[in-house]
Amino acid sequence: NEASLRLHQQMLAMQQQNECLGAIFSLSPDGLLTFDRLGRVEFANEAFLALTGLTRVQVEGASMAQLDALLHALQAPDAPPFPGVAACFFPAGVAGLAPKLRLHDPDHDEARVLTFMGQHSETAAVSGVLYVCDVTQQQRLDQMQSDFLSLAAHELRTPMTSIYGF
């Protein structure tokens, strides 16, 4: 009876933990994919589907090669090549090298930019998690900053040349 009570308590705790993780996955504004032991997409949250425009049927159950093909089809024609999903699972300490994918968006003048970061897992149920983040706004701000600095340097160079010449 005591063992049954403990088992029931553990099951309730696991159910609560699963509900908490489910809420995190579903409410996250960033895309999340989980992979099974065979390297197939086991779960894709709504944010990933919204960011990429892919459907659950296309993504869930797809191998990494199939997911690569789907993402390459979405890529903007003038974008640098996306290295593939496998390249997103980089070793610890190389986080600054997150692969980026520029998506072709016919509704907007500017393409959206997504970064992909993956982590391998040692658990039997989930072999990896892929995190996808929309960095379009950061890219746009970096470009605006670069343009401003170039313009400011150019505009200051002209009067400085006159001053030095005088």
Side-chain angles (χ1 to χ4, degrees):
N1 230 1
E2 190 175 315
S4 176
L5 180 63
R6 284 188 193 164
L7 182 61
H8 180 68
Q9 288 173 344
Q10 286 178 347
M11 287 177 56
L12 287 175
M14 286 177 56
Q15 182 181 4
Q16 185 179 15
Q17 186 178 21
N18 283 343
E19 288 174 2
C20 182
L21 287 173
I24 291 169
F25 269 99
S26 64
L27 296 175
S28 174
D30 298 321
L32 296 164
L33 293 177
T34 61
F35 294 88
D36 64 12
R37 291 184 314 247
L38 301 173
R40 296 194 174 278
V41 177
E42 188 172 44
F43 173 79
N45 71 344
E46 290 298 323
F48 176 81
L49 301 175
L51 287 171
T52 60
L54 296 172
T55 65
R56 190 170 303 283
V57 173
Q58 290 175 301
V59 174
E60 289 183 353
S63 66
M64 282 195 188
Q66 292 167 328
L67 186 59
D68 280 343
L70 290 170
L71 294 173
H72 281 287
L74 298 173
Q75 188 170 355
D78 60 337
F82 179 64
V85 175
C88 303
F89 291 91
F90 42 79
V94 194
L97 303 174
K100 293 182 180 172
L101 172 68
R102 287 188 54 215
L103 298 176
H104 175 66
D105 192 356
D107 297 336
H108 298 91
D109 294 338
E110 205 169 346
R112 285 192 309 167
V113 180
L114 304 178
T115 58
F116 289 73
M117 293 175 277
Q119 285 291 318
H120 288 290
S121 172
E122 299 300 321
T123 65
V126 176
S127 71
V129 175
L130 186 66
Y131 170 77
V132 182
C133 183
D134 187 349
V135 292
T136 306
Q137 189 65 22
Q138 289 99 333
Q139 292 282 116
R140 194 174 298 133
L141 290 174
D142 287 347
Q143 185 61 43
M144 287 173 59
Q145 179 184 9
S146 177
D147 292 347
F148 171 77
L149 290 175
S150 295
L151 179 66
H154 176 72
E155 293 298 326
L156 286 174
R157 198 173 299 127
T158 303
M160 291 304 287
T161 303
S162 299
I163 292 170
Y164 285 139
F166 182 70

